[in-house]
Amino acid sequence: MPLACPSASDASFATAVPPLTTHCSNCSLRDVCLPRGMKPSDVDGLDDLQFSRTKVKAGETLYHEGQTFRNIYAVRMGTFKSTLTLADGREQVSGFQMAGELMGLDGIADGAYASNCTALEDTEVCTIPYDQISGLAATSADLQQAVSRLMSREIVREHSLMMLLGSMNAEERLAAFLLNLSQRLKLRGYSAFEFHLRMSRAEIGSYLGMKLETVSRTFSAFLQQGILEVDKRHIRILDPMALKRVFDTRVH
Amino acid sequence: MPLACPSASDASFATAVPPLTTHCSNCSLRDVCLPRGMKPSDVDGLDDLQFSRTKVKAGETLYHEGQTFRNIYAVRMGTFKSTLTLADGREQVSGFQMAGELMGLDGIADGAYASNCTALEDTEVCTIPYDQISGLAATSADLQQAVSRLMSREIVREHSLMMLLGSMNAEERLAAFLLNLSQRLKLRGYSAFEFHLRMSRAEIGSYLGMKLETVSRTFSAFLQQGILEVDKRHIRILDPMALKRVFDTRVH
DNA sequence: CGATGGGTTGATCCGTATCAACTGAAGTGG
DNA sequence: CCACTTCAGTTGATACGGATCAACCCATCG
């Protein structure tokens, strides 16, 4: 199924675990994933599709730009980054995905993925064949709604990122990033105030539109101000309110 | 229907032209609008929905942030801007829409629009009630596909804007903006190389993440380089290739 | 006729990029 | 086991692009 340049670091089908499948109805992620907001009866419909699970190791890519679109993926475990390739070959991070979040929706438009998706650690995903789910959507208005809502949510998410990139300075950007991360972790049952970053300073910088040195300096500044404790990728938010204040005391 | 703070400059229903409706099948915009890529038989299904037309005068808003989501709108004539309101009340432009483009898709996620939509000139839109179209989508896989593709396209569009905001300098941004505009105008049968901007320097700047003075200076720089002729909002692209070169000779 | 709003241009300032040196941790191989 | 490399991260010095502040032009409008 991988059509375009399957490389050594390409996961695609190679690491598919045996015929291991997942049922949405009893999945621990059902409240943050595709079934979110669906009626139990419709979730049962999803169960029949038997989404297969795939492991993707750290550094491997799940799909890349231009590759034929067949599946949407839901993160089961671990963290991914989505990237876009610039004209000169460098890449820009367009998002980080964690448990329950969907990846690959940008492929629907033209039948080819518009971004690359790479695992930041050892991960596991549910593979959701698009023709199956759109087939089922034809019979269930509820599922169709769910998919539409998820796509719309993605649009809204990008809106706020645009806002961030268009009108915030370094401290505001990093504060927004950390608060967003914190909130998503909390939603998934992890601590909102102490966590481990899965991405490098360079990846954070690329996502936030700044250089890695600036990310590092900004972490140090927050440390200085007593807002954070930072030890490499281990972060502790000491003063969440101060972080929020940085974020919306946007003066310029 | 306008729930939140209906203001003097709020169009919503006030200026609805009599019971004037539109049929997609014989609409001149059918190739760039909702029916794009649909089978003629499915477009006929759309005809039964009888989308009503509404005029929105320059400066009036079609919908705003937080307002209950009911309709998607398709531009029939004229230009709109979509904006987001920042925490401190200032607004940031997130997009410009012209004939055939859809507005309001961000409202599906939570049942309320996530952005504001304002006419930049006297305009006309088709009002597409969301419940009607999603009802019809349940019976037509083709229409459902069309809507999904349009939403996905919106995601891809925002991707590229993020890229622009995250990693381009002033000249690259303005070049990308002008090339994008040029291409969309051409697609609609207008000249690709000579056109009238419907938005102010400040609005362009907000969209591109730079100040209005910088926009102005960058126009002047292009003028200097013989790439453009600029007279206020009237633009003539003299050297399209040079503009493309600016856009992808991204050095930093 | 003065007021207002969009646009241009100049002078200056500041935030972040850039370049560079350094640290510590984690391999790698003799 | 120790030199060696490599990579992520931090921190300092400096450069530069764009923000900011300000003056001015011009068209429109009450």
Side-chain angles (χ1 to χ4, degrees):
Chain A
M1 224 159 267
L3 292 189
C5 52
S7 72
S9 68
D10 198 283
S12 299
F13 252 64
T15 38
V17 266
L20 184 53
T21 61
T22 307
H23 297 282
C24 290
S25 58
N26 57 14
C27 175
S28 61
L29 296 171
R30 62 181 175 277
D31 293 334
V32 289
C33 193
L34 180 61
R36 174 175 173 173
M38 288 177 61
K39 288 195 294 283
S41 59
D42 284 293
V43 180
D44 291 345
L46 280 178
D47 282 357
D48 300 337
L49 296 184
Q50 304 261 346
F51 300 137
S52 66
R53 292 194 211 171
T54 307
K55 286 185 194 295
V56 186
K57 292 228 192 69
E60 289 182 339
T61 74
L62 182 58
Y63 55 79
H64 36 79
E65 236 168 314
Q67 187 178 324
T68 303
F69 168 75
R70 292 243 161 65
N71 305 311
I72 287 169
Y73 299 93
V75 181
R76 281 192 58 77
M77 214 191 76
T79 314
F80 285 82
K81 67 171 176 183
S82 294
T83 61
L84 302 164
T85 309
L86 298 163
D88 60 13
R90 284 174 313 114
E91 62 176 30
Q92 167 152 353
V93 175
S94 63
F96 297 107
Q97 288 80 29
M98 54 178 73
E101 296 175 334
L102 296 194
M103 306 181 292
L105 293 171
D106 60 15
I108 297 172
D110 298 314
Y113 296 105
S115 58
N116 312 289
C117 191
T118 310
L120 292 177
E121 54 188 323
D122 289 358
T123 58
E124 207 176 308
V125 299
C126 274
T127 300
I128 306 173
Y130 183 64
D131 55 0
Q132 281 186 33
I133 199 161
S134 68
L136 187 60
T139 70
S140 157
D142 207 37
L143 172 60
Q144 182 196 301
Q145 276 289 339
V147 174
S148 291
R149 267 201 308 272
L150 282 161
M151 293 185 73
S152 182
R153 207 174 297 282
E154 180 73 6
I155 292 172
V156 174
R157 183 188 75 81
E158 304 209 339
H159 272 173
S160 53
L161 186 55
M162 282 169 38
M163 226 157 98
L164 181 149
L165 291 170
S167 69
M168 292 188 188
N169 67 22
E171 294 205 350
E172 290 161 353
R173 288 173 197 215
L174 190 60
F177 172 71
L178 291 173
L179 287 170
N180 174 267
L181 220 54
S182 162
Q183 189 229 316
R184 283 153 74 198
L185 288 167
K186 185 179 174 187
L187 204 65
R188 283 158 183 77
Y190 298 105
S191 165
F193 301 125
E194 186 163 9
F195 47 85
H196 193 81
L197 298 172
R198 306 295 152 151
M199 63 294 283
S200 70
R201 299 290 189 262
E203 284 160 342
I204 296 172
S206 171
Y207 180 63
L208 297 178
M210 52 209 248
K211 293 287 116 142
L212 71 96
E213 293 95 328
T214 306
V215 174
S216 182
R217 280 183 231 278
T218 309
F219 270 123
S220 299
F222 285 160
L223 179 66
Q224 218 72 37
Q225 298 165 47
I227 297 176
L228 297 181
E229 255 178 47
V230 187
D231 179 22
K232 307 276 166 188
R233 297 190 178 187
H234 190 86
I235 304 292
R236 173 126 61 129
I237 301 178
L238 299 176
D239 190 346
M241 291 318 292
L243 208 54
K244 281 201 189 66
R245 247 175 284 130
V246 170
F247 171 57
D248 53 37
T249 305
R250 180 181 319 110
V251 182
H252 92 296
Chain B
M1 222 156 274
L3 292 189
C5 55
S7 71
S9 69
D10 199 284
S12 297
F13 252 65
T15 38
V17 266
L20 185 53
T21 60
T22 307
H23 297 283
C24 289
S25 59
N26 58 14
C27 174
S28 62
L29 296 171
R30 62 182 176 277
D31 294 334
V32 289
C33 193
L34 180 62
R36 174 176 172 173
M38 288 176 61
K39 288 195 294 281
S41 60
D42 285 291
V43 180
D44 291 345
L46 280 179
D47 282 357
D48 300 337
L49 296 184
Q50 304 261 351
F51 300 136
S52 66
R53 293 193 211 172
T54 307
K55 284 184 194 295
V56 186
K57 291 227 192 67
E60 289 182 338
T61 74
L62 182 58
Y63 55 79
H64 36 79
E65 238 167 313
Q67 187 177 324
T68 302
F69 168 74
R70 291 245 159 65
N71 305 311
I72 288 170
Y73 298 94
V75 181
R76 282 191 57 77
M77 213 190 75
T79 314
F80 285 83
K81 66 169 174 182
S82 294
T83 61
L84 302 164
T85 309
L86 298 163
D88 59 11
R90 285 173 312 113
E91 61 176 28
Q92 168 154 353
V93 175
S94 64
F96 298 107
Q97 288 80 30
M98 54 179 73
E101 295 175 335
L102 296 194
M103 305 181 294
L105 293 170
D106 59 15
I108 297 172
D110 298 314
Y113 295 105
S115 58
N116 313 288
C117 192
T118 310
L120 293 177
E121 54 187 324
D122 289 357
T123 57
E124 206 176 309
V125 298
C126 274
T127 301
I128 306 173
Y130 184 64
D131 55 0
Q132 280 186 33
I133 200 162
S134 67
L136 188 60
T139 70
S140 157
D142 207 37
L143 172 61
Q144 183 196 303
Q145 276 290 338
V147 174
S148 292
R149 268 201 307 272
L150 282 161
M151 294 186 72
S152 181
R153 208 174 297 282
E154 180 72 5
I155 292 172
V156 174
R157 183 188 75 80
E158 304 209 339
H159 271 173
S160 54
L161 187 54
M162 283 169 36
M163 224 158 102
L164 181 149
L165 291 170
S167 68
M168 292 189 188
N169 67 22
E171 293 206 350
E172 290 161 354
R173 287 171 197 217
L174 191 60
F177 172 72
L178 291 172
L179 288 169
N180 175 267
L181 220 55
S182 162
Q183 188 229 316
R184 283 153 75 198
L185 288 166
K186 185 179 173 188
L187 205 64
R188 283 156 183 78
Y190 299 104
S191 165
F193 301 124
E194 188 163 6
F195 46 85
H196 192 80
L197 299 173
R198 307 293 149 147
M199 62 294 285
S200 70
R201 299 290 188 262
E203 284 161 341
I204 296 173
S206 171
Y207 179 62
L208 297 178
M210 50 210 247
K211 294 286 117 143
L212 70 94
E213 294 95 328
T214 307
V215 175
S216 183
R217 280 183 230 278
T218 309
F219 270 124
S220 299
F222 285 160
L223 180 65
Q224 218 73 37
Q225 297 166 48
I227 297 177
L228 295 182
E229 255 177 48
V230 186
D231 179 22
K232 307 275 167 189
R233 297 189 176 187
H234 191 86
I235 304 292
R236 174 126 60 128
I237 301 178
L238 298 175
D239 190 347
M241 291 318 292
L243 207 53
K244 281 202 188 65
R245 246 175 285 130
V246 171
F247 170 58
D248 52 37
T249 305
R250 179 182 320 113
V251 182
H252 92 297

